[in-house]
Structure formats: C-alpha cells, structure tokens
Amino acid sequence: MESLETSFASYMAKASPKQKKAQHIARNNAALARAIITTWAATESAALFLLAHINSMYICEDTRAYKGDAADQKHYLMHIYVDDPLAKTELNARRELLLHYLRVEKISVEEIVLQSATRGMKQRKLFPEYVTHLQAGNMTLPEGAQKTNLTPPDPLASLRYQDQQHLLEWFKRAVCLSFPDLNDAASFLAQIEGGAMENTNFIDRRTTSGGENVGEGKPPKPSYCMHLFVSEQNVAPCIELMTLYGSTLQSSAYIVGFRLNSIMVHPSSAALSGKTAYPHLSQPVPLPNLDLAELRTQRLYARAHHKPAYINVSPFAS
C-alpha cells in the first residue's frame, strides 16, 4: 500500500491546471491564516476578528519600475481585502511582522497591500469557518487552528553565525599581531568567554567615514566595535589592557583587512561563564543568542556617558 504522500503526489501529477491552481491558492490561504494567528498569538480574540473580516487575498507581480533591478528580476505583492476599518488598521500596524511570518511560510512577497472591500466583495469571506466561530460568540480560536512552525534553524548553518565566526577570526589575527609574544596573545584570548563584532557603519549612503565616494563604485568599508565578554574579576584588567593596546590593535586590524574603531568589555552572563570564544586549535565560537541591536544600544549608552567599559581606539569611531 502506497503512502499518503505518494498518493497525493500521484494525484497532483494527474490533476488539471485548474485543480493545481486551486490547490496552490488553498495552500497560500492556509499559510496566511497561520501567519496571522502567529503574529497575534498573544491575543487570540484579535486573530479571530481579523480572520473573520478578511474577504479575499491574492498575490500578483509588482510591475512598478525599480532602479537597479535586473530585467528578469520579479517582485510580488500580496493584496488583502478587509471589510472593517479596525481590522485594516490592526493589519497595517503589524504589517512587517506579518510579512516576516509569511516568509517563514515560504511566501516570498515584497509588500502587503491592504484594500477596503466594497460592494460585492463584502459578501465574500476568505475564512468562513472563523466567521461562524466568531458569530457563535467565541472569543478564542477554534481548537484546530494552527500557527506557523517556528522551529529554529541550525545556528551553525546560519549566515550570521558564519559571518561572526569569520569576524572573530579577524580579531584573533589582529591580537596575534599586536602582542609582543604569541603566548601573551594566547593567554588573553583564553580569558574571552564570548565575543561579537558589531558593524558601526551608520553613515550617509553617498560617502563613507573615510571620504570614499560610493557613487564611484567603491563600497563603504565597514568599521567594527569588538564586544568582549569576560568573567567579573577580569573586567577591570581587560579594560586596562585594551586601553593600553587599543591603538596597536587598530593598526593591526587595518593590516588584517578590517577597521576596528572601538572595544567594549562586558561581564559574562551565567550562560557564558566558563566558556571560551577562542578554543585552542579550533575555530572561534560566536555568541549563541546574538542580539547586535542590544549590543549597539549598550555601546551608544556607554560612549555617551563616558563609561570606562567603552574604549575608543579610533578618532573617527562612531
């Protein structure tokens, strides 16, 4: 006896173009419902209300002209029709988050376009089962309602993990060039329990901090702040050491191929205690739960309040 998956594949192979299109539309509609339920997971009543007031959804090619697009590059828009102004306002408020969960559902659209349902469109309901459930006086979703599957990907395969691993290796090379003895460099790296390189290039698109003209085809060269996480007792010595070697590290970083403009020293969290960012004879280990936005906030605060944990190694540090 063949499996259900094989049976469905055989059915789809024999299906007419009209049947295949209907199956494709049904999958997209179900994905939209899951994405909405996930976006408003904290308030089931809001998710139910939105699903009950969506009249139609369709995806079409975006035919607007975009400068720099290749001739064969296509973009798609998702048009959602709703029959209630409150539902339209709520969808608009979380449009970007909804777009994110749609992409998790493998629906690659550039933009969500919200439309008000008029005339005969108001009589249509994309999810009639939710309309019936709401009209019955329920304020929570039906028992069978599904959310988007948010199983996290393997962090070792993520581009961010690989990028951070590469950047941490750059810093390691700069440290080895800066210390007079490689044993001293190895001893310092062994004390680092966690590390992250934050790109500090928040600049005008026309020029870089070095005056390079992007319009002439020269991409802006990124500058970084190195965030070091060490044990509580090593915070003060690490700040002193980085203050002493800061300008040397900046010069070494330039030789390695990147710009180092600042260093921040943080006390390690309980999760990092006892770990090492630079294992002996192995590749660097990036932070498991990296939040670069949070690190940038801490850096800007420390710089503005002249905290000793922020070490400016460049006169052009941002």
Side-chain angles (χ1 to χ4, degrees), residues 20 33 49 77 287:
K20 290 180 180 179
F49 176 81
L77 302 174
L287 291 174

Side-chain angles (χ1 to χ4, degrees), residues 144-167:
Q146 295 181 343
K147 295 181 181 180
T148 297
N149 183 8
L150 299 176
T151 302
D154 181 1
L156 297 178
S158 72
L159 291 177
R160 172 173 284 193
Y161 186 96
Q162 294 170 10
D163 287 344
Q164 281 293 313
Q165 195 169 56
H166 184 64
L167 292 170

Side-chain angles (χ1 to χ4, degrees), residues 8 28 48 79 101 157 227 251 275 282-283:
F8 182 75
N28 286 347
L48 178 61
H79 291 260
Y101 287 127
H227 293 266
S251 301
K275 298 186 181 298
S282 182
Q283 288 185 304

Side-chain angles (χ1 to χ4, degrees), residues 251-310:
S251 301
S252 299
Y254 194 82
I255 295 171
V256 171
F258 73 101
R259 287 178 175 169
L260 180 69
N261 63 25
S262 53
I263 300 169
M264 266 207 75
V265 181
H266 308 263
S268 295
S269 63
L272 286 176
S273 181
K275 298 186 181 298
T276 177
Y278 290 99
H280 186 56
L281 300 178
S282 182
Q283 288 185 304
V285 180
L287 291 174
N289 298 311
L290 179 60
D291 187 346
L292 288 174
E294 173 62 24
L295 291 180
R296 178 171 183 261
T297 300
Q298 293 182 31
R299 174 177 62 83
L300 293 176
Y301 178 85
R303 185 187 68 175
H305 292 79
H306 306 288
K307 299 289 185 182
Y310 174 79

Side-chain angles (χ1 to χ4, degrees), residues 146-276:
Q146 295 181 343
K147 295 181 181 180
T148 297
N149 183 8
L150 299 176
T151 302
D154 181 1
L156 297 178
S158 72
L159 291 177
R160 172 173 284 193
Y161 186 96
Q162 294 170 10
D163 287 344
Q164 281 293 313
Q165 195 169 56
H166 184 64
L167 292 170
L168 291 177
E169 182 64 34
W170 275 1
F171 182 76
K172 177 181 178 180
R173 293 175 187 174
V175 168
C176 291
L177 288 174
S178 301
F179 282 72
D181 188 278
L182 281 179
N183 289 328
D184 293 338
S187 178
F188 166 68
L189 291 170
Q191 303 303 314
I192 302 174
E193 297 182 333
M197 293 275 273
E198 175 217 348
N199 189 335
T200 61
N201 274 69
F202 292 90
I203 55 176
D204 190 281
R205 289 177 60 85
R206 292 170 295 180
T207 59
T208 69
S209 57
E212 299 161 327
N213 192 337
V214 180
E216 294 177 359
K218 298 179 182 178
K221 193 171 184 178
S223 297
Y224 294 94
C225 173
M226 179 63 187
H227 293 266
L228 301 173
F229 293 83
V230 297
S231 61
E232 190 74 43
Q233 64 268 23
N234 285 333
V235 170
C238 187
I239 291 174
E240 185 178 352
L241 190 64
M242 290 297 94
T243 303
L244 178 64
Y245 279 92
S247 58
T248 308
L249 277 167
Q250 185 199 25
S251 301
S252 299
Y254 194 82
I255 295 171
V256 171
F258 73 101
R259 287 178 175 169
L260 180 69
N261 63 25
S262 53
I263 300 169
M264 266 207 75
V265 181
H266 308 263
S268 295
S269 63
L272 286 176
S273 181
K275 298 186 181 298
T276 177

